[in-house]
Amino acid sequence: MKLYNSLTHKEEEFVPNEAGKVAMYTCGPTVYHFAHIGNLRSYIMEDVLEKYMRYAGYDVKRVMNITDVGHLTSDGDTGDDKMLKGAKREHKTVMEIADFYTKAFFADCAKLNIKTPDVVEPATHCIDEFIKVISSLLEKDYAYEAGGNIYFDTSKLDKYYVFGDLAEEDLEVGVREGVEEDGNKRNKADFVLWFTKSKFDDQELKWESPWGLGYPGWHIECSCISMKHLGERLDIHCGGIDNQFPHHTNEIAQSEAFLGHKWCNYWFHVHHLNTTSGKMSKSKGEFLTVSLLEEKGYDPLVYRFFCLQSHYRKSLVFSWENLDNAKQAYEKLTARAAALVKESKGAAPDQAAFDKLKAGFTAAMDDDINTSNAVTAVYDVLKADTDADTKLAALADFDKVLSLGIVDKAKELAAGSSAEIPSEVMELLEQRREARAAKDFALADELRDKIAMLGYAVRETRQGTEITKI
Ligand code: AMP
Ligand code: ZN
């Protein structure tokens, strides 16, 4: 399997530390609000990566944190505490907010067929681990105390900007426009490991530490939670591309300073979901959630399909028109699979034909998780010169990774539509689908009335078009 490694800026053959096993870490959500569909693009693509590794035979252990303390709005050491901001907005405690949005996050993940990682650990459960690592960094002189806070001293490293995709001057925290400089830092790039001098008098969550009552910085959370569950050597670390700096850069700095050796070999970064006016982000106020997609009549799996149609290393532009195109394609796909279900004789697949189809799929996925080509491999199944049972077996096999629910949906459709529906009605249904796609709703309504006169009711549901006998 070839994977692009952000650390080396190259596609590389993936070779884990221990043969057959993968230690995988993912930066989890900051649970101060609902996840937006941009955040979920990252989690969908990471889910595909994990599932493909399992499909390829690896024994994967995947760990994810829940950021419930320490993440400031600047991603660095300045700005508001995101959790506190959420609590104030909703007149609740930080822990109530964390609990509510953690559940909401996993509910959204379930709707998108995103598997829950093997270990999910909230940062607030690991204070002792943070204190242990920070104490060690102080002992080794990689950290210092200034103005009440504990900082990591980036000047002690040979190389701090390890990802190096961007110019250093664009990256330095504390010199970016609109961000005030922290006079306590020895070097501009230094970052906080532990805050005791909170600029927020109302900071709710504080813990005793050797340096006084305080709370951890966001970056130390991921290093410690990863080491706690995955040990000293990580195979792969995932996150959205915006996490590369400062978050992942700081994670590497402090983890390797603490461990005294290389920490993680592969870095997998998912590029952003953008709107036509830029990156989708919560700070801009309006953002799209899974619930909103559902309210507008979209099956969440249509959004998953939309994401898989593009490669994770390309930014993806969201528009309703693009989503509508994905919806049409997804419905066509499930309808074609439903026809296969009807044709199926329940026979064993033709092994040679199945292997050939599977080879197309694995070639796409081995090529840096090229889901766009993997979707093409799904279409290749439909076009293939083989029987329905072989095709269904291939679709079910690919879906272990893609999790688009194609075969399940096809079975539902086949059971719902069944042979009883006259071809005349099916023809009108197809014309109505085309009219809706062309946004000719007057014609679509006319066609629905015609269908009703033939004794069938048409209804749009989250799962797609439903047809029932009146
Ligand atoms: P947060 O909850 O802000 O910590 O972000 C959760 C994850 O979503 C992180 O891995 C981010 O890098 C990622 N992320 C944030 N915005 C976007 C976006 N517009 N598109 C894709 N991923 C994003
Ligand atoms: Zn992280």
Side-chain angles (χ1 to χ4, degrees):
M1 184 194 311
K2 282 220 157 39
L3 272 184
Y4 180 82
N5 186 357
S6 307
L7 205 53
T8 56
H9 313 288
K10 282 197 303 253
E11 270 191 26
E12 290 173 3
E13 191 60 36
F14 177 72
V15 185
N17 284 305
E18 199 180 327
K21 289 198 167 172
V22 178
M24 181 177 187
Y25 184 82
T26 306
C27 288
T30 308
V31 283
Y32 72 114
H33 216 320
F34 290 109
H36 60 58
I37 60 170
N39 301 130
L40 290 161
R41 179 193 189 197
S42 286
Y43 295 110
I44 288 171
M45 303 319 281
E46 291 158 1
D47 180 65
V48 169
L49 170 70
E50 176 195 347
K51 285 178 178 160
Y52 188 62
M53 285 184 164
R54 291 188 194 276
Y55 179 95
Y58 289 111
D59 176 7
V60 181
K61 179 170 176 189
R62 179 159 175 216
V63 177
M64 187 169 93
N65 69 306
I66 298 288
T67 302
D68 51 1
V69 66
H71 192 172
L72 308 188
T73 46
S74 71
D75 273 2
D77 303 329
T78 52
D80 295 332
D81 179 311
K82 291 189 179 192
M83 293 302 299
L84 206 58
K85 215 172 140 186
K88 277 187 190 157
R89 187 187 62 232
E90 299 186 19
H91 308 290
K92 291 193 180 136
T93 65
V94 165
M95 280 292 104
E96 281 166 348
I97 290 287
D99 183 54
F100 178 82
Y101 288 112
T102 301
K103 286 185 181 133
F105 173 73
F106 286 111
D108 284 345
C109 286
K111 287 177 186 164
L112 291 163
N113 280 349
I114 297 171
K115 178 183 169 295
T116 303
D118 303 293
V119 178
V120 176
E121 178 94 270
T124 48
H125 291 194
C126 299
I127 303 300
D128 289 349
E129 277 87 356
F130 307 150
I131 292 177
K132 190 185 98 187
V133 172
I134 297 168
S135 303
S136 161
L137 289 171
L138 278 163
E139 262 166 43
K140 292 181 182 170
D141 214 20
Y142 277 110
Y144 59 92
E145 189 168 355
N149 292 336
I150 309 296
Y151 294 87
F152 186 90
D153 186 347
T154 52
S155 72
K156 296 277 159 71
L157 304 175
D158 294 339
K159 196 170 189 303
Y160 168 63
Y161 294 103
V162 282
F163 291 108
D165 274 337
L166 299 161
E168 292 194 9
E169 57 272 22
D170 294 338
L171 293 171
E172 288 180 15
V173 177
V175 290
R176 281 183 295 180
E177 218 182 316
V179 175
E180 66 199 83
E181 236 180 280
D182 179 347
N184 293 319
K185 291 184 185 183
R186 289 185 191 159
N187 312 288
K188 280 175 184 160
D190 293 355
F191 55 92
V192 175
L193 296 166
W194 186 269
F195 291 92
T196 58
K197 289 285 173 290
S198 171
K199 55 185 270 196
F200 321 110
D201 298 334
D202 46 359
Q203 179 74 28
E204 244 177 75
L205 298 178
K206 288 181 196 164
W207 294 264
E208 283 298 344
S209 80
W211 321 289
L213 203 59
Y215 62 101
W218 170 41
H219 316 300
I220 196 74
E221 300 177 4
C222 284
S223 291
C224 292
I225 292 173
S226 164
M227 287 189 239
K228 178 178 173 185
H229 296 286
L230 295 166
E232 290 193 3
R233 290 178 200 272
L234 195 55
D235 291 306
I236 187 158
H237 192 311
C238 315
I241 188 80
D242 59 320
N243 283 163
Q244 224 181 59
F245 185 84
H247 186 48
H248 292 164
T249 305
N250 293 349
E251 279 187 48
I252 294 173
Q254 65 206 2
S255 300
E256 298 193 350
F258 171 72
L259 292 167
H261 59 71
K262 189 167 181 186
W263 174 48
C264 176
N265 289 336
Y266 299 87
W267 288 80
F268 179 89
H269 287 116
V270 180
H271 285 242
H272 281 149
L273 180 79
N274 295 320
T275 61
T276 37
S277 55
K279 179 195 162 195
M280 186 170 290
S281 89
K282 288 174 212 170
S283 55
K284 288 189 187 158
E286 287 234 327
F287 58 87
L288 298 177
T289 59
V290 171
S291 308
L292 195 94
L293 296 187
E294 287 185 298
E295 274 163 35
K296 288 187 180 277
Y298 295 93
D299 182 333
L301 293 183
V302 164
Y303 179 65
R304 185 172 175 111
F305 182 65
F306 170 72
C307 290
L308 297 196
Q309 284 176 315
S310 301
H311 194 258
Y312 75 91
R313 272 198 305 120
K314 286 195 181 125
S315 51
L316 177 59
V317 177
F318 179 86
S319 69
W320 293 108
E321 198 186 345
N322 291 348
L323 191 66
D324 280 334
N325 289 338
K327 181 174 188 233
Q328 268 186 50
Y330 181 75
E331 285 174 1
K332 256 192 170 159
L333 196 62
T334 48
R336 287 173 75 183
L340 293 175
V341 171
K342 286 188 198 163
E343 265 176 55
S344 158
K345 295 188 175 64
D350 169 344
Q351 199 58 46
F354 175 89
D355 289 347
K356 198 169 153 205
L357 293 169
K358 186 176 166 112
F361 174 71
T362 54
M365 294 300 289
D366 282 340
D367 178 18
D368 191 24
I369 310 294
N370 192 328
T371 53
S372 156
N373 286 349
V375 168
T376 305
V378 169
Y379 285 107
D380 288 343
V381 171
L382 298 173
K383 285 189 278 180
D385 185 17
T386 184
D387 59 84
D389 287 307
T390 305
K391 291 183 185 183
L392 283 170
L395 292 178
D397 186 64
F398 302 177
D399 220 46
K400 289 178 198 158
V401 176
L402 304 178
S403 295
L404 292 167
I406 296 172
V407 177
D408 290 343
K409 286 241 150 54
K411 283 182 182 159
E412 276 170 35
L413 280 178
S417 65
S418 87
E420 303 146 32
I421 297 175
S423 57
E424 197 184 346
V425 173
M426 291 305 282
E427 177 59 29
L428 289 170
L429 263 181
E430 177 55 22
Q431 285 176 24
R432 182 174 171 276
R433 195 192 59 72
E434 280 167 14
R436 280 173 58 84
K439 302 216 175 350
D440 186 347
F441 296 110
L443 177 60
D445 286 348
E446 221 176 88
L447 289 162
R448 185 180 46 209
D449 293 345
K450 279 191 185 168
I451 295 169
M453 284 193 319
L454 294 169
Y456 288 85
V458 191
R459 209 165 63 93
E460 292 309 319
T461 70
R462 279 181 200 164
Q463 278 70 41
T465 306
E466 194 182 271
I467 177 134
T468 45
K469 216 164 178 176
I470 303 171

